[in-house]
Amino acid sequence: PVNLKIEFGPQLGMNIGSSMKTHGDTLQTVLSTKQSDIGIAFGSGLGFTLNTERTIRLDIGYRGVYGNKIKTNSAYFGLALLF
């Protein structure tokens, strides 16, 4: 069997950064949150069941995000083994 998958919904992205500085024997680590982004996530794909027990699946598809500061497109390929 083949399953059609469709995704659509909100996307919230947070840019988290860090830095480390050393002064002799002292290590200073700073974790900071930068501007966030709000957008829309979308995608589609196909899921294939590879055996009659439905314990091996193959997923392929496309995902994208469109927001104020970011636009990404990607393909995905996945193999799932259920036991």
Side-chain angles (χ1 to χ4, degrees), residues 5-59:
K5 301 177 181 185
I6 298 175
E7 305 170 355
F8 184 81
Q11 172 73 27
L12 174 63
M14 297 173 72
N15 188 2
I16 299 175
S18 65
S19 64
M20 294 192 315
K21 297 178 184 176
T22 58
H23 303 287
D25 292 338
T26 305
L27 175 66
Q28 179 184 8
T29 304
V30 177
L31 179 66
S32 61
T33 303
K34 300 176 184 174
Q35 293 181 338
S36 61
D37 188 34
I38 298 174
I40 299 293
F42 53 90
S44 63
L46 294 173
F48 300 93
T49 303
L50 300 179
N51 63 349
T52 56
E53 294 83 19
R54 298 182 181 199
T55 58
I56 303 173
R57 295 189 311 230
L58 175 68
D59 292 328

Side-chain angles (χ1 to χ4, degrees), residues 63-78:
R63 288 188 182 138
V65 175
Y66 184 76
N68 294 335
K69 302 175 189 95
I70 189 169
K71 182 179 180 183
T72 61
N73 296 295
S74 63
Y76 69 88
F77 175 84

